[in-house]
Amino acid sequence: MPEATQRFFDHRPESVKAARDFTTRTLRAWGLDETGDIRLVVSELATNALAHGSDAEHGFLVRLEPDDGGLRLEVHDSRDLHHPLTGPAFPDPAADETGRGLVIVTALAARWGIDPRQPFGKIVWSHFPTAPSATAARAVQGARTC
């Protein structure tokens, strides 16, 4: 099983795409093909980290950790825990242009949550069940044993 990996991103709009690209490269290296939902969730959480979770002096960190049945995606930011985001907003589709990020996370991840981060900030995490890519599965099936 691959080891967890993480990367820090600066507080800039371009960092959302960079976080998505980092996630895609990592998951492909781990033999995962179906990454669309995970890519969308990392985009939403990275956007939230920039817009609501950190100030200009603090960026955010993306951590990817495989486990026996899936993948844990974390986005760490520096948001004051006295004012956490407690759950998805329910924006008016006809009037609101924002506020759908955690609704998307709720729809795509098997589960998600918010944990405190030391010395400050929070971790917004999500979990996805995963399966190895067809290429990786064929390689395992075709492997010879002694």
Side-chain angles (χ1 to χ4, degrees):
M1 179 178 308
E3 291 188 27
T5 188
Q6 62 189 31
R7 182 170 165 206
F8 178 82
F9 298 91
D10 290 328
H11 190 279
R12 300 179 310 159
E14 306 84 45
S15 292
V16 174
K17 180 183 182 314
R20 190 172 51 245
D21 292 345
F22 163 74
T23 300
T24 300
R25 282 190 309 275
T26 300
L27 297 179
R28 285 186 181 151
W30 290 350
L32 300 173
D33 287 333
E34 299 299 322
T35 62
D37 288 353
I38 300 167
R39 287 171 41 89
L40 184 52
V41 169
V42 79
S43 289
E44 293 298 332
L45 295 181
T47 298
N48 282 354
L50 287 178
H52 310 292
S54 59
D55 56 31
E57 292 83 33
H58 296 97
F60 63 94
L61 180 126
V62 173
R63 178 177 168 80
L64 300 164
E65 183 176 6
D67 62 27
D68 289 336
L71 173 85
R72 180 178 168 108
L73 162 67
E74 298 177 353
V75 176
H76 299 222
D77 66 36
S78 58
R79 183 180 175 94
D80 180 2
L81 284 178
H82 296 289
H83 303 287
L85 297 174
T86 57
F90 295 97
D92 178 350
D96 296 331
E97 294 182 13
T98 63
R100 292 171 181 79
L102 293 179
V103 174
I104 292 170
V105 172
T106 300
L108 297 179
R111 58 189 185 278
W112 72 276
I114 302 171
D115 294 331
R117 180 174 183 263
Q118 297 301 323
F120 55 86
K122 71 177 181 316
I123 301 166
V124 181
W125 59 268
S126 53
H127 190 270
F128 301 87
T130 58
S133 70
T135 304
R138 281 195 298 275
V140 169
Q141 290 173 347
R144 297 182 72 158
T145 59
C146 345

